[in-house]
Amino acid sequence: MNEHIKPDQCQVQEAIGILVGKWKPIILLHLMKEGTQRFSELKREIPEITQKMLTKQLRELEAEGIVDRKVYPEIPPKVEYSITEYGKELQPILEAMHEWGEKHAQMKKERA
C-alpha cells in the first residue's frame, strides 16, 4: 500500500460513492466498450435494468462528470451518452475490479 495514503484522509469512500450501485459499473463498461450510445441502446444492452433506474444512474454519473449527455434538437428528441475524458480514467480501476472479482468468485467456488 502506498505509504503516503493516511487512513484518516483516505478518499476511497469518495471514489466508491461514485461507483456504488448495481448498475453503474455495467453502464460504464458498456459505454467504454461500445462508445457513444442512445438511451434505448443502453436499455437493450442491459435488459435487467428498469428505465427509471437507468435514467437515475445516468443522471448521477453525469452529475459527477463521468458521463456526457448530448441532446439533439430533433423530434422525437435524440439523446446520446458517452464517457467523458475524465470518466475514461476509471477504465483501469474497473478492469482491476473485474479481475479481482473473477479471482474472488473462483476462490469461493474452490471453498464450497
Side-chain angles (χ1 to χ4, degrees), residues 42-75:
L42 281 169
K43 179 67 178 93
R44 199 170 25 257
E45 294 281 334
I46 315 168
E48 303 86 12
I49 194 170
T50 65
Q51 187 165 332
K52 180 179 177 181
M53 183 57 70
L54 180 56
T55 299
K56 180 181 183 291
Q57 301 284 271
L58 284 166
R59 284 185 182 155
E60 289 175 8
L61 290 166
E62 182 185 6
E64 294 291 345
I66 307 297
V67 168
D68 184 51
R69 178 178 185 259
K70 185 171 183 180
V71 180
Y72 295 89
E74 301 175 359
I75 297 181

Side-chain angles (χ1 to χ4, degrees), residues 6-103:
K6 298 176 181 162
D8 61 332
Q9 297 172 354
C10 181
Q11 295 299 309
V12 171
Q13 282 185 304
E14 179 72 22
I16 291 197
I18 293 167
L19 294 175
V20 76
K22 181 177 180 178
W23 302 109
K24 286 181 184 176
I26 304 299
I27 292 166
L28 291 171
L29 287 169
H30 276 288
L31 290 173
M32 287 176 186
K33 181 181 178 207
E34 306 296 330
T36 300
Q37 290 195 300
R38 294 180 72 172
F39 184 90
S40 60
E41 292 171 321
L42 281 169
K43 179 67 178 93
R44 199 170 25 257
E45 294 281 334
I46 315 168
E48 303 86 12
I49 194 170
T50 65
Q51 187 165 332
K52 180 179 177 181
M53 183 57 70
L54 180 56
T55 299
K56 180 181 183 291
Q57 301 284 271
L58 284 166
R59 284 185 182 155
E60 289 175 8
L61 290 166
E62 182 185 6
E64 294 291 345
I66 307 297
V67 168
D68 184 51
R69 178 178 185 259
K70 185 171 183 180
V71 180
Y72 295 89
E74 301 175 359
I75 297 181
K78 178 180 173 183
V79 181
E80 292 182 336
Y81 295 91
S82 59
I83 295 286
T84 62
E85 286 301 313
Y86 177 64
K88 288 177 183 175
E89 294 177 22
L90 290 170
Q91 188 164 350
I93 295 166
L94 291 171
E95 288 172 355
M97 290 174 73
H98 169 74
E99 289 171 17
W100 186 87
E102 282 185 327
K103 288 178 189 175

